[in-house]
């Protein structure tokens, strides 16, 4: 192998760069695993087409505007208009280990240092990329755009699958053909957002859910972001992701540096499910559980849709007792418990218990819950303040705002300036007091609006720092209260990303609990994150957000694979529904250890059928979901791509009724398929397949 060729080999993918004299390393390859001993040719001098630079500039790991690079630059920066064109002038590669490289680069003219760290995790096969930019000059450097380096994609990458949505309709999948125009997604909402998830999949021609080459990338960042996919004249594409910066947001003083949020990226020859499995492994490795490992995910009951702001202590106590009887293990008191919080117009920021609703504080309810053998959880929205609150009256300057411009409220609230140390201390002390005085095992941490005029006390954009300040606060709180688990929520799924999951343990995916709507959202969520952190509830009928009514078995069947919860007033249920609920909770407890932590496959069949399979060690749970009525006279068999073609499987139907089936050979299941029984519209059938 030529000493100028640098490789990283993973389980199923390889990355190759070529060192260049006085420049950043040239991208040569990212894709299916190459043999260790494959001899990789040097690129050699590319022929110069007419009207081109005499020396061709290829896609490098860190392409910069300043040196004949006409495409998106990984960096846009200047010093008062000087040094606007950067270019790497030297690169030294340090191999930290078989799977980790540090690219130390400099621009000796603009006086900048770059450190690009690239690690390919041997277990998950996921690449982690961060870039640190340091200003080596005396004058400040204004940074306008900084990507986590550039990823190279093949010229024939065909489609991009990305995710969009809104409050109540998160993780909608959209797929677009890649053309010659640049494909860009930018999020300027200050939090991860419902609309522009900071990640995507890129599919090679003919790639599908289970087969074919697929690339995936996601940014571990809970703030503004961008991603761009661009066709390059040299016959490939580049993919850049990074934190989106507001004008003037980042200025590096002499010696100052900035490190990009971590980028996770992977390639799989096993289709979209292959990418998802890699991401699941990477996220699982990053989750920071109290005491180190995940405990079985407790069934919870959340009070929101059942009670909203109407808290009656006696009623909630009786609810808790009934919940415990059904098998609920965690009782989460949602919004409405703190001073004066009668609706969503007031009180955010005043984190003391409402004396009218709870004359003796929250301790009697919390203790009642723990005495019933359940954990007690509490909803908070720490980064927020209502103008109608004691906190705002005392500290109007604590809200993010731009002097001279009106406060733009959303849900009647403003965002606190988390970069202000006094604000951090205030929130920490308020939460710390609650956690010290009450037996709280769990916080649901909400953020119910996007950012707008987010300037700090100096009038500078605070978006980026705001996210760092949130992470710092979460870390501080977790150090002080390491046993507490945290759920991330932002009007449902507005803040679900690989960054927040380093500090939290559950995602509230959406305020829409309707299972029909949830099927699509869960599918999108599972592209990036594993099922054990996917908050999925059984709610009331008709559904509060869609008005649709579905049978308890369907509501439960769809919620079961995630982290299960209930979100309705169970005291109003008839005995038949209670019996079913108890049954499903028992099922969840029986299967959660299998599903959570397992390999996940998802797919669509024909005629309104979709499916998921959760497997480990030759044992699979197969969920077949019929969303609508059957229109075909006979259902075609469902091919199961996850089975081992060399083995035979014992098959048991578990839901809706337990029935033994004749065993089937893996080759048959994979090639011809699994016979689907007649199912009603809005029904989930669950099977166990076990290698014999
Ligand atoms: C957000 C959350 C809900 C609930 C309400 C409370 O909308 O997504 O689950 O907690 O806030 O105000």
């Amino acid at each position: 192998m030529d000493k100028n060729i640098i490789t990283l080999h993973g389980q199923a993918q390889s990355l190759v760069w070529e060192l260049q004299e006085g420049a950043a390393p040239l991208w040569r390859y990212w894709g299916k695993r190459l043999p260790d001993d494959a001899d990789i040719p040097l690129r050699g001098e590319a022929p110069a087409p007419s009207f081109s630079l005499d020396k061709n500039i290829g896609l490098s790991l860190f392409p910069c505007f300043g040196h004949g690079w006409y495409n998106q630059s990984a960096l846009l920066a200047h010093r008062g208009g000087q040094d606007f064109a950067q270019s790497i002038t030297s690169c030294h590669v340090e191999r930290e280990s078989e799977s980790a490289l540090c690219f130390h680069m400099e621009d000796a003219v603009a006086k900048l240092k770059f450190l690009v760290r690239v690690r390919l995790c041997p277990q998950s096969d996921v690449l982690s990329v961060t870039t640190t930019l340091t200003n080596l000059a005396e004058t400040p450097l204004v940074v306008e755009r900084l990507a986590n380096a550039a990823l190279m994609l093949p010229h024939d990458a065909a489609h991009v699958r990305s995710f969009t949505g809104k409050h109540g309709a998160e993780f909608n999948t959209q797929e677009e053909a890649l053309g010659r125009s640049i494909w860009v997604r930018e999020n300027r909402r200050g939090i991860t957002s419902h609309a522009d998830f900071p990640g995507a999949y890129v599919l090679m021609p003919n790639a599908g859910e289970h087969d074919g080459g697929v690339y995936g990338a996601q940014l571990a960042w809970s703030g503004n972001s961008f991603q761009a996919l661009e066709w390059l004249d040299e016959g490939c594409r580049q993919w850049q992701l990074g934190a989106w910066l507001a004008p003037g947001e980042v200025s590096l003083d002499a010696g100052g540096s900035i490190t990009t949020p971590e980028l996770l990226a992977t390639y799989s020859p096993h289709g979209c499910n292959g990418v998802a499995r890699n991401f699941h492994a990477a996220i699982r490795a990053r989750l920071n559980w109290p005491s180190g490992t995940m405990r079985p995910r407790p069934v919870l009951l959340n009070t929101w849709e059942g009670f909203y702001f109407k808290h009656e202590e006696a009623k909630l106590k009786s609810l808790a007792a009934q919940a415990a009887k059904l098998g609920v293990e965690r009782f989460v008191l949602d919004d409405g418990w703190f001073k004066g919080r009668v609706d969503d117009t007031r009180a955010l920021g005043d984190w003391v218990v409402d004396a009218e609703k709870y004359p003796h504080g929250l301790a009697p309810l919390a203790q009642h819950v723990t005495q019933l053998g359940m954990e007690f959880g509490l909803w908070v929205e720490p980064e927020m303040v209502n103008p109608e609150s004691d906190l705002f009256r005392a500290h109007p300057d604590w809200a993010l705002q731009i002097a001279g411009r009106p406060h733009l409220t959303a849900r009647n609230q403003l965002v606190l300036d988390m970069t202000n140390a006094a604000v951090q201390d205030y929130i920490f002390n308020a939460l710390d007091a609650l956690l010290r005085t009450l037996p709280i095992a769990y916080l649901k941490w909400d953020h119910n609006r996007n950012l707008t005029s987010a300037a700090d006390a100096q009038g500078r954009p605070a978006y980026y720092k705001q996210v760092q300040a949130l992470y710092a606060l979460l870390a501080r709180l977790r150090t002080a209260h390491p046993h507490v688990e945290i759920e991330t929520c932002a009007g449902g799924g507005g803040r679900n990303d690989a960054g927040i999951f380093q500090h939290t343990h559950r995602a509230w995916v959406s305020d829409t609990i309707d299972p029909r709507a949830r099927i699509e959202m869960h599918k999108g969520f599972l592209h990036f994150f594993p099922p054990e952190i996917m908050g999925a509830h059984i709610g009331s009928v008709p559904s509060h957000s869609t008005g649709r009514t579905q049978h308890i078995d369907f509501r439960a069947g769809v919620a079961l694979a995630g982290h299960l919860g209930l979100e309705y007033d169970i005291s109003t249920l008839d005995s038949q529904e209670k019996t079913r609920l108890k049954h499903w909770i028992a099922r969840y407890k029986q299967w959660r250890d299998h599903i959570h932590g397992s390999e996940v496959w998802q797919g669509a069949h024909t005629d309104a059928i979709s499916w998921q399979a959760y497997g480990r060690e030759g044992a699979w749970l197969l969920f077949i979901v019929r969303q609508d009525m059957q229109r075909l006279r006979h259902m075609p068999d469902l091919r199961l791509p996850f089975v081992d073609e060399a083995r035979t499987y014992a098959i048991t139907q578990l839901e809706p009724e337990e029935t033994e089936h004749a065993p089937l050979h893996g080759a048959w299941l994979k090639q011809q398929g699994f016979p689907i029984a007649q199912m009603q519209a809005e029904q989930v059938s669950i099977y166990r397949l076990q290698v014999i």
Side-chain angles (χ1 to χ4, degrees):
M1 180 87 63
D2 191 289
K3 66 178 184 350
N4 287 319
I5 294 292
I6 309 281
T7 56
L8 268 185
H9 292 299
Q11 290 171 30
Q13 65 189 307
S14 297
L15 299 103
V16 181
W17 297 273
E18 180 176 326
L19 294 179
Q20 311 185 95
E21 190 59 36
L26 195 67
W27 266 109
R28 294 301 310 281
Y29 180 78
W30 181 26
K32 193 169 177 178
R33 178 71 155 87
L34 301 170
D36 284 336
D37 58 357
D39 228 358
I40 290 151
L42 294 176
R43 190 175 75 149
E45 205 51 51
S50 58
F51 210 85
S52 297
L53 296 174
D54 293 331
K55 183 177 174 352
N56 182 57
I57 307 290
L59 174 65
S60 73
L61 178 64
F62 200 83
C64 280
F65 170 64
H67 198 65
W69 181 250
Y70 297 115
N71 298 98
Q72 287 296 307
S73 179
L75 175 69
L76 290 178
H78 64 94
R79 292 193 173 85
Q82 304 289 306
D83 287 331
F84 66 93
Q86 301 83 26
S87 178
I88 305 294
T89 54
S90 68
C91 174
H92 154 71
V93 184
E94 179 195 349
R95 192 171 268 279
E96 284 189 322
S97 70
E98 265 304 285
S99 53
L101 295 167
C102 285
F103 295 87
H104 300 271
M105 297 184 275
E106 264 194 45
D107 176 347
V109 179
K111 297 200 173 51
L112 300 173
K113 194 165 80 177
F114 304 84
L115 169 61
V116 180
R117 301 182 81 108
V118 180
R119 271 168 296 147
L120 181 54
C121 172
Q123 287 78 33
S124 65
D125 222 16
V126 168
L127 200 66
S128 149
V129 185
T130 53
T131 297
T132 303
L133 166 67
T134 307
N135 179 14
L136 301 178
E138 289 305 314
T139 41
L141 180 85
V142 175
V143 182
E144 294 178 349
R145 175 189 166 94
L146 178 61
N148 288 45
L151 299 171
M152 185 185 81
L153 295 169
H155 71 98
D156 52 346
H159 288 95
V160 56
R161 181 181 289 186
S162 66
F163 300 85
T164 185
K166 67 170 187 74
H167 174 232
E170 288 82 344
F171 279 107
N172 294 305
T173 308
Q174 60 177 21
E175 211 159 295
E176 291 152 282
L178 287 170
R180 292 290 155 96
S181 308
I182 190 165
W183 180 93
V184 174
R185 293 286 295 275
E186 288 184 350
N187 164 37
R188 283 177 283 273
R189 291 172 185 272
I191 52 172
T192 320
S193 90
H194 302 81
D196 293 290
F197 180 77
Y201 279 30
V202 173
L203 284 71
M204 294 300 286
N206 304 322
E209 303 310 311
H210 323 299
D211 298 304
V214 179
Y215 297 81
Q218 59 173 316
L219 208 57
W221 185 240
S222 311
N224 290 336
S225 64
F226 69 86
Q227 54 172 329
L229 273 158
E230 188 179 27
W231 167 260
L232 305 177
D233 279 348
E234 66 182 290
C236 64
R237 294 177 193 276
Q238 68 161 336
W239 193 0
Q240 290 185 6
L241 294 94
W244 183 87
L245 302 175
E249 180 155 18
V250 173
S251 175
L252 302 178
D253 291 335
S257 66
I258 178 172
T259 298
T260 57
E262 187 184 19
L263 169 67
L264 303 178
T266 191
Y267 165 84
S268 172
H270 306 299
C272 296
N273 279 311
V275 169
R277 286 195 293 276
N278 292 354
F279 277 148
H280 292 181
I283 299 295
R284 282 169 176 154
R286 279 169 172 71
L287 285 165
N288 190 353
W289 295 104
S291 72
T293 46
M294 183 182 80
R295 302 183 279 129
R297 303 290 69 224
V299 184
L300 63 79
L301 181 137
N302 177 295
T303 58
W304 181 240
E305 280 204 357
F307 302 87
Y308 293 111
F309 298 101
K310 243 178 129 228
H311 289 205
E312 289 170 38
E313 193 176 349
K315 201 157 180 210
L316 290 169
K317 278 186 171 168
S318 137
L319 181 80
Q322 294 177 57
K325 270 199 202 134
L326 288 179
V328 170
E329 298 159 308
R330 177 181 281 167
F331 181 92
V332 183
L333 190 65
D334 210 282
D335 197 355
W337 58 267
F338 47 100
K339 192 178 156 208
R341 184 72 167 171
V342 289
D343 57 27
D344 68 9
T345 64
R346 66 198 70 213
L348 287 173
D350 299 343
W351 301 112
V352 288
V353 180
D354 185 87
E356 275 181 36
K357 293 179 189 171
Y358 299 97
H360 306 288
L362 279 182
L365 175 62
Q367 277 156 13
H368 174 72
V369 165
T370 52
Q371 276 155 16
L372 287 163
M374 296 186 291
E375 292 174 6
F376 183 69
L378 195 62
W379 178 95
V380 288
E381 198 179 354
E383 298 141 89
M384 294 295 156
V385 65
N386 285 118
E388 187 55 48
S389 67
D390 292 345
L391 182 67
F392 189 76
R393 282 184 284 272
H395 300 284
D397 55 319
W398 279 10
L400 289 168
Q401 55 196 295
I402 296 179
R405 300 212 177 269
H407 281 310
L408 291 176
T409 52
R411 207 193 190 205
N412 313 300
Q413 61 199 55
L414 298 168
V415 186
L416 290 169
D417 178 1
M418 303 285 287
T419 69
N420 177 340
V423 172
Q424 285 259 346
D425 285 344
Y426 171 81
I427 299 174
F428 176 82
N429 291 334
L431 297 177
D432 180 63
L434 289 164
L435 293 170
R436 265 189 296 104
T437 52
L438 293 165
I440 297 173
Y442 183 75
L443 289 176
K444 176 176 171 187
W445 188 297
D446 214 334
H447 187 293
N448 276 317
R449 62 161 295 173
N450 293 317
L451 271 55
T452 46
S453 321
D456 63 14
Q458 290 73 46
R460 300 181 67 102
Y463 304 93
Y464 193 87
K465 289 187 292 183
Q466 181 84 356
V467 179
Q468 290 177 317
L470 165 71
Y471 291 164
L473 176 64
L474 284 164
R476 183 176 170 195
L477 210 69
R478 296 218 47 221
T479 305
H481 301 279
H483 69 284
V484 175
E485 282 188 17
I486 302 177
E487 170 174 14
T488 173
C489 177
R495 192 155 64 185
N496 290 331
D497 61 81
I500 202 77
F501 291 135
Q502 290 184 339
H503 303 277
T504 59
H505 313 94
R506 186 185 203 252
W508 185 223
V509 177
S510 176
D511 277 346
T512 295
I513 305 178
D514 173 324
R516 275 289 282 276
R518 275 297 184 116
I519 290 168
E520 174 71 15
M521 296 188 223
H522 289 178
K523 184 174 153 216
F525 183 91
L526 290 170
H527 275 71
F528 299 96
F529 311 116
E532 55 268 32
I533 59 169
M534 182 173 79
H537 292 181
I538 303 171
S540 54
V541 287
S543 155
H544 289 202
S545 37
T546 66
R548 284 193 291 228
T549 293
Q550 289 114 348
H551 194 274
I552 173 69
D553 292 349
F554 187 56
R555 286 179 278 145
V558 170
L560 205 76
H563 177 180
L564 184 70
L566 316 181
E567 189 167 334
Y568 58 148
D569 182 1
I570 51 171
S571 65
T572 59
L573 305 181
D574 60 30
S575 66
Q576 204 189 348
E577 175 138 346
K578 268 195 186 148
T579 309
R580 290 310 292 160
L581 204 49
K582 212 169 170 175
H583 165 81
W584 282 110
I585 289 172
R587 279 298 203 199
Y588 170 79
K589 289 182 180 172
Q590 188 185 349
W591 294 337
R592 63 185 162 191
D593 287 346
H594 175 89
I595 294 174
H596 297 161
S598 73
E599 200 176 288
V600 180
W601 292 64
Q602 333 190 55
H605 191 38
T606 185
D607 199 11
I609 294 266
S610 59
W611 60 270
Q612 304 105 41
Y614 303 89
R616 49 171 68 181
E617 290 151 20
W620 293 89
L621 278 176
L622 172 64
F623 286 55
I624 299 181
V625 182
R626 169 162 285 297
Q627 296 193 39
D628 209 339
M629 65 174 204
Q630 183 172 327
R631 289 185 168 82
L632 295 176
R633 194 177 293 266
H634 296 284
M635 275 307 286
D637 292 346
L638 170 66
R639 287 192 202 104
L640 301 183
F642 54 88
V643 295
D644 183 343
E645 274 179 286
R647 309 297 294 266
T648 298
Y649 289 82
I651 299 174
T652 314
Q653 176 162 357
L654 303 167
E655 293 290 346
E657 265 159 34
E658 213 153 317
T659 331
E660 287 301 328
H661 286 244
L664 283 171
H665 198 276
W668 180 261
L669 290 168
K670 201 166 194 164
Q671 306 308 338
Q672 169 54 29
F674 180 82
I676 299 189
Q678 285 274 340
M679 289 170 73
Q680 288 208 307
E682 301 188 336
Q683 193 191 321
V684 181
S685 295
I686 305 174
Y687 296 85
R688 182 175 50 227
L689 278 70
Q690 173 74 56
V691 159
I692 298 176

PDB file of all heavy atoms in Angstrom, residues 78 137 321 358 445:
ATOM      1  N   HIS A  78     -13.780  35.106   8.123  1.00  0.00           N
ATOM      2  CA  HIS A  78     -12.948  36.252   7.719  1.00  0.00           C
ATOM      3  C   HIS A  78     -12.510  37.026   8.950  1.00  0.00           C
ATOM      4  O   HIS A  78     -13.014  36.809  10.058  1.00  0.00           O
ATOM      5  CB  HIS A  78     -13.722  37.163   6.764  1.00  0.00           C
ATOM      6  CG  HIS A  78     -14.928  37.792   7.411  1.00  0.00           C
ATOM      7  ND1 HIS A  78     -14.913  39.033   8.006  1.00  0.00           N
ATOM      8  CD2 HIS A  78     -16.187  37.315   7.583  1.00  0.00           C
ATOM      9  CE1 HIS A  78     -16.113  39.303   8.494  1.00  0.00           C
ATOM     10  NE2 HIS A  78     -16.899  38.272   8.263  1.00  0.00           N
ATOM     11  N   ALA A 137      -4.054  33.574  14.748  1.00  0.00           N
ATOM     12  CA  ALA A 137      -3.633  34.972  14.528  1.00  0.00           C
ATOM     13  C   ALA A 137      -4.028  35.837  15.716  1.00  0.00           C
ATOM     14  O   ALA A 137      -4.763  35.418  16.609  1.00  0.00           O
ATOM     15  CB  ALA A 137      -4.269  35.490  13.250  1.00  0.00           C
ATOM     16  N   ALA A 321     -53.335   4.789  42.607  1.00  0.00           N
ATOM     17  CA  ALA A 321     -53.634   3.476  43.173  1.00  0.00           C
ATOM     18  C   ALA A 321     -54.144   2.524  42.087  1.00  0.00           C
ATOM     19  O   ALA A 321     -53.743   1.357  42.013  1.00  0.00           O
ATOM     20  CB  ALA A 321     -54.675   3.621  44.281  1.00  0.00           C
ATOM     21  N   TYR A 358     -52.147  21.871  45.940  1.00  0.00           N
ATOM     22  CA  TYR A 358     -51.429  20.934  46.824  1.00  0.00           C
ATOM     23  C   TYR A 358     -51.121  21.646  48.144  1.00  0.00           C
ATOM     24  O   TYR A 358     -50.002  22.133  48.344  1.00  0.00           O
ATOM     25  CB  TYR A 358     -50.128  20.462  46.163  1.00  0.00           C
ATOM     26  CG  TYR A 358     -50.363  19.729  44.859  1.00  0.00           C
ATOM     27  CD1 TYR A 358     -50.252  20.390  43.635  1.00  0.00           C
ATOM     28  CD2 TYR A 358     -50.708  18.386  44.862  1.00  0.00           C
ATOM     29  CE1 TYR A 358     -50.477  19.721  42.439  1.00  0.00           C
ATOM     30  CE2 TYR A 358     -50.938  17.708  43.658  1.00  0.00           C
ATOM     31  CZ  TYR A 358     -50.821  18.384  42.456  1.00  0.00           C
ATOM     32  OH  TYR A 358     -51.055  17.724  41.285  1.00  0.00           O
ATOM     33  N   TRP A 445     -38.563  16.790  30.714  1.00  0.00           N
ATOM     34  CA  TRP A 445     -37.946  18.110  30.492  1.00  0.00           C
ATOM     35  C   TRP A 445     -38.449  18.648  29.161  1.00  0.00           C
ATOM     36  O   TRP A 445     -38.046  18.188  28.112  1.00  0.00           O
ATOM     37  CB  TRP A 445     -36.428  17.933  30.485  1.00  0.00           C
ATOM     38  CG  TRP A 445     -35.614  19.176  30.458  1.00  0.00           C
ATOM     39  CD1 TRP A 445     -35.583  20.124  29.473  1.00  0.00           C
ATOM     40  CD2 TRP A 445     -34.676  19.612  31.451  1.00  0.00           C
ATOM     41  NE1 TRP A 445     -34.693  21.117  29.783  1.00  0.00           N
ATOM     42  CE2 TRP A 445     -34.115  20.825  30.993  1.00  0.00           C
ATOM     43  CE3 TRP A 445     -34.254  19.093  32.674  1.00  0.00           C
ATOM     44  CZ2 TRP A 445     -33.145  21.517  31.711  1.00  0.00           C
ATOM     45  CZ3 TRP A 445     -33.275  19.784  33.385  1.00  0.00           C
ATOM     46  CH2 TRP A 445     -32.742  20.982  32.914  1.00  0.00           C
TER      47      TRP A 445
END
